[in-house]
Amino acid sequence: MKNGFCWYELRSPRPGEARRFYLDVLGMDVAWEVSLLPEAAAARGAPSHWLGHIHVSDLESSMERFVALGAERLGPPRRSTEGIASTVLRDPLGAVVALTSRAGRNTHAELAWHELHTADHARALGLYSGLFGWRPTEALQLSPEVGTYQQFTWHEDGRSVGAACSTARLPHIHPHWLFYFAVDDLDRALAAVVEGGGLVANGTHVMPDGTRVAPCEDPHRAAFGLRQAP
């Protein structure tokens, strides 16, 4: 299996309400895991959030390599509702991610886009590339604020699955992975976000290929994105 994101988990203080919100926004039931925000995370002040899990063949050795490069382990390994072990870490530049082997189990359908907001996109992508074999693809120059938007892939066919950008050096953005859901009608989905008590963070943006994207927050302030293909 490729060493890319294979599992997505929403950790929320009110999982039932969160699931209904995403049902209204996406027009379908959430196929990804929605779980209760762990008490330890809440005690540290962690808000509701989406956590992406990267597939690795050997969980312990991959975790040790990540830590040796400067990542911080956030607690002991834990098990999902299916009994699959995973380890949550903060990468050396501050973004939280999980590693999992999930051997022999079905994984989630890949989300539309994976966006890493970090202080140094070149260093961060070098870390993930060295650990998991990801490869850079096209580099876009967006606004002066965003700078280089370096796309990457983990697929053999070379299609881009996400991008890294050095936006966490800005005062209003922290290091994090932002996951985008595909929608057929972005305007309808954004109206549902607002009606359901969520936020549309910075309006909509049009990418060079015509893709429309919008960063959002759900009612419990978990960040996510919506993405409509051209």
Side-chain angles (χ1 to χ4, degrees):
M1 179 181 289
K2 62 184 181 296
N3 289 325
F5 283 102
C6 69
W7 196 257
Y8 310 90
E9 175 190 3
L10 175 62
R11 304 166 108 192
S12 172
R14 296 181 177 86
E17 292 180 14
R19 184 176 289 278
R20 287 191 293 274
F21 169 82
Y22 286 95
L23 172 61
D24 291 339
V25 171
L26 302 176
M28 61 180 180
D29 194 15
V30 178
W32 303 274
E33 186 169 347
V34 181
S35 60
L36 183 66
L37 181 67
E39 290 184 9
R44 293 196 303 267
S48 178
H49 60 278
W50 281 95
L51 178 65
H53 297 242
I54 297 173
H55 173 267
V56 293
S57 56
D58 187 319
L59 181 60
E60 190 65 24
S61 66
S62 296
M63 181 275 298
E64 290 175 355
R65 288 176 60 207
F66 212 172
V67 169
L69 291 171
E72 177 188 359
R73 189 170 177 172
L74 302 179
R78 62 189 185 88
R79 293 189 176 274
S80 71
T81 54
E82 292 183 322
I84 305 298
S86 64
T87 297
V88 182
L89 304 104
R90 181 178 287 111
D91 78 20
L93 291 161
V96 175
V97 69
L99 305 182
T100 181
S101 56
R102 299 194 69 83
R105 299 292 183 120
N106 292 329
T107 55
H108 286 155
E110 191 175 284
L111 290 184
W113 199 249
H114 311 78
E115 194 170 77
L116 176 59
H117 292 265
T118 184
D120 184 340
H121 73 274
R123 180 187 169 200
L125 192 53
L127 287 167
Y128 284 90
S129 296
L131 284 167
F132 310 120
W134 299 359
R135 306 183 307 280
T137 55
E138 185 180 7
L140 304 177
Q141 297 300 320
L142 301 182
S143 67
E145 185 178 56
V146 173
T148 301
Y149 192 73
Q150 178 61 63
Q151 299 181 80
F152 59 84
T153 187
W154 52 66
H155 288 295
E156 292 183 1
D157 62 13
R159 61 184 171 87
S160 296
V161 295
C165 48
S166 300
T167 47
R169 54 186 165 71
L170 302 173
H172 58 288
I173 299 178
H174 67 279
H176 68 286
W177 279 99
L178 182 63
F179 303 109
Y180 284 78
F181 295 89
V183 293
D184 295 328
D185 186 339
L186 182 61
D187 295 325
R188 186 214 65 80
L190 292 178
V193 168
V194 174
E195 184 176 350
L199 296 173
V200 179
N202 294 301
T204 62
H205 307 274
V206 181
M207 303 299 289
D209 66 353
T211 299
R212 297 176 66 213
V213 300
C216 303
E217 292 183 0
D218 71 19
H220 306 113
R221 300 304 173 251
F224 68 99
L226 297 174
R227 184 177 174 93
Q228 179 182 334

